[in-house]
Amino acid sequence: MIVKFLSKSASFKGVSYNTRKIDRNKGELMKVSGFGPLQAMNGLRPKDYINYLKAVSAQNTRVKLPQLHVAISTKGRSHSGEQLTEIAEQWLKEMGYGDQPYLIIFHKDTHNNHVHVVSTRVDKQGKKISSAYEKLRAMTALYRVLKLDEAEQAKADLAVALSYNFSTKAQFMLLLEAKGYAVRESTGKFQLVRSAKVVHEFDAALVADQMKSYVFPELRQKQMSAVFHRYACLYDTTLVPDLVSLPGGLKKTSSDYHSDLSVYLKASFGWELIFHGKQGKPAYGYTIIDHEQKQVFKGKQVMDLKELLAFRTQVNPDQLPLGSDAIPERFAAAGAQNSPIPENDTGAASHISIEWKPDAFADHHPGFSTPIDISISDDIDDEATHGRNRQRKRQARTNTR
């Protein structure tokens, strides 16, 4: 579970943003607290909440951007809206906002359940609520609410990472970065860092020993290759940069990518595709994490990136029958039909549509497109919340994955 601080604001845009989610049936108002007599009134508008928050904030003119806007996100559907609301309430108390006016809104339109909290950093006596070491305190407070010890959790996450079959240090570090850690290596030690705090340190020999026991999973590689060939012609492989939320409701592209195919493979098989590249430029490689069988592959071991990006969606899978007949003839001829498929293969799924339109950039870099929509109607802030810490992205060792 992660806490993410979103944009500050003088006009409390977070209220409007979240009420629009509710209007579009993408969000649900879970809790209203601290608004005094306002809460007893019917037919309240977003402007009513905003005016109240502004009135409280106006008592301290030194605080120019009083909005507190936070997202608390869980992995997948592991926590319901009600559970996340209870966690958010306790977290607010831990952070000194328990008596503040606040709204809690559950977002239900993304892969990871999450709630948004909107409040003011000025209390009703006109004092500013402390923001010192805020991000560090936020995670510490969340661990207290969840009754988790940061160091113990880091040890548990390390144990899980060491249970995977990986061949390089970069792959091992990627496993932990996917859980939200920054990983540092120096003088024979690894350090796990979260919110600028070292939460665990361990001997690099643990990683070296696990690498020595690496065995290439040939059967799994063949299974995955067959699945890739089967579904790359049904789901668009075009890479689209992930978006990161900015103040004012705008978004910018990040250095992480996804495609229709990668979304489908993760949802259906537990295979996470992590593409490597610099912001604004095409990916130069990728890693596959098979969470089901705890295997880590260099992408080219399953399907070379150029081959993967050469695919284009030729048909709509909703219009195809179930079973092997859904595979285009050109893949049947290559033997894809008779290749082993994992037992949990269901044959078809609902289509995730991202229409690929050629443009000058995509023509020059096949398989890569740039988003032009900056609308906030489709919320991906929880993806940013769960985004990987990529401090080491500019280092040459990324080519060793």
Side-chain angles (χ1 to χ4, degrees), residues 10 47 59 67 77 135 154 163 170 173 199-200 205 241 244 257 291 300 325-326:
K47 192 67 175 177
Q59 298 179 90
Q67 173 178 273
R77 312 299 180 196
K135 293 183 179 180
S163 69
M173 295 169 79
V199 292
H200 185 53
V244 177
Y257 310 86
H291 293 291
K300 64 183 179 181
D325 289 343

Side-chain angles (χ1 to χ4, degrees), residues 97-170:
Y97 288 88
D99 296 325
Q100 290 293 94
Y102 63 79
L103 304 170
I104 300 178
I105 303 92
F106 173 56
H107 287 204
K108 53 187 178 180
D109 61 330
T110 60
H111 296 298
N112 298 306
N113 282 353
H114 62 289
V115 291
H116 282 235
V117 178
V118 182
S119 184
T120 173
R121 296 174 178 275
V122 178
D123 67 22
K124 294 180 179 180
Q125 288 71 47
K127 295 181 179 179
K128 181 182 183 296
I129 297 173
S130 175
S131 59
Y133 304 102
E134 190 172 57
K135 293 183 179 180
L136 177 60
R137 290 193 297 112
M139 286 306 300
T140 301
L142 182 60
Y143 276 100
R144 283 199 298 268
V145 170
L146 298 175
K147 296 180 172 57
L148 296 174
D149 179 88
E150 286 182 283
E152 291 302 316
Q153 183 63 45
K155 291 178 183 178
D157 290 337
L158 170 62
V160 172
L162 289 172
S163 69
Y164 278 67
N165 185 35
F166 54 86
S167 60
T168 68
K169 285 191 296 185

Side-chain angles (χ1 to χ4, degrees), residues 5-17:
F5 286 86
L6 304 175
S7 59
K8 298 178 182 180
S9 170
S11 57
F12 292 92
K13 294 180 180 179
V15 175
S16 302
Y17 168 69

Side-chain angles (χ1 to χ4, degrees), residues 161 164 166 170-179 289 291 296:
Y164 278 67
F166 54 86
Q171 291 178 350
F172 164 75
M173 295 169 79
L174 198 60
L175 289 167
L176 289 166
E177 287 166 359
K179 287 186 171 290
I289 301 178
H291 293 291
V296 185

Side-chain angles (χ1 to χ4, degrees), residues 17-27 109 377 379:
Y17 168 69
N18 283 286
T19 51
R20 284 199 298 271
K21 283 283 187 179
I22 297 170
D23 292 341
R24 296 168 181 168
N25 197 32
K26 294 182 178 182
D109 61 330
S377 61
D379 176 29

Side-chain angles (χ1 to χ4, degrees), residues 117-320:
V117 178
V118 182
S119 184
T120 173
R121 296 174 178 275
V122 178
D123 67 22
K124 294 180 179 180
Q125 288 71 47
K127 295 181 179 179
K128 181 182 183 296
I129 297 173
S130 175
S131 59
Y133 304 102
E134 190 172 57
K135 293 183 179 180
L136 177 60
R137 290 193 297 112
M139 286 306 300
T140 301
L142 182 60
Y143 276 100
R144 283 199 298 268
V145 170
L146 298 175
K147 296 180 172 57
L148 296 174
D149 179 88
E150 286 182 283
E152 291 302 316
Q153 183 63 45
K155 291 178 183 178
D157 290 337
L158 170 62
V160 172
L162 289 172
S163 69
Y164 278 67
N165 185 35
F166 54 86
S167 60
T168 68
K169 285 191 296 185
Q171 291 178 350
F172 164 75
M173 295 169 79
L174 198 60
L175 289 167
L176 289 166
E177 287 166 359
K179 287 186 171 290
Y181 295 99
V183 185
R184 300 175 183 168
E185 180 187 14
S186 64
T187 61
K189 297 285 186 180
F190 277 103
Q191 292 180 332
L192 299 185
V193 182
R194 176 170 272 166
S195 300
K197 176 184 176 183
V198 177
V199 292
H200 185 53
E201 184 176 83
F202 57 97
D203 200 312
L206 290 173
V207 181
D209 290 343
Q210 182 66 8
M211 288 167 55
K212 290 178 182 177
S213 63
Y214 173 78
V215 176
F216 180 70
E218 185 176 356
L219 177 59
R220 189 60 163 177
Q221 179 267 335
K222 290 180 179 179
Q223 292 175 335
M224 296 179 80
S225 180
V227 170
F228 269 60
H229 280 90
R230 179 172 185 174
Y231 288 105
C233 58
L234 301 180
Y235 291 88
D236 198 346
T237 64
T238 303
L239 298 186
V240 179
D242 293 343
L243 300 177
V244 177
S245 297
L246 294 173
L250 300 180
K251 293 174 181 178
K252 71 174 182 179
T253 60
S254 75
S255 54
D256 296 328
Y257 310 86
H258 69 275
S259 67
D260 277 11
L261 179 65
S262 70
V263 171
Y264 173 76
L265 292 177
K266 185 174 182 180
S268 299
F269 300 104
W271 300 347
E272 185 174 2
L273 276 60
I274 301 175
F275 297 92
H276 313 303
K278 293 183 179 180
Q279 186 171 339
K281 295 186 178 181
Y284 57 79
Y286 72 111
T287 298
I288 306 169
I289 301 178
D290 175 6
H291 293 291
E292 183 183 1
Q293 292 197 1
K294 295 187 174 182
Q295 307 282 356
V296 185
F297 293 87
K298 296 178 181 179
K300 64 183 179 181
Q301 292 175 324
V302 174
M303 180 181 285
D304 187 83
L305 182 61
K306 289 184 179 180
E307 181 184 0
L308 178 66
L309 298 183
F311 283 89
R312 289 289 178 270
T313 302
Q314 302 295 325
V315 291
N316 186 332
D318 293 336
Q319 300 173 349
L320 293 175

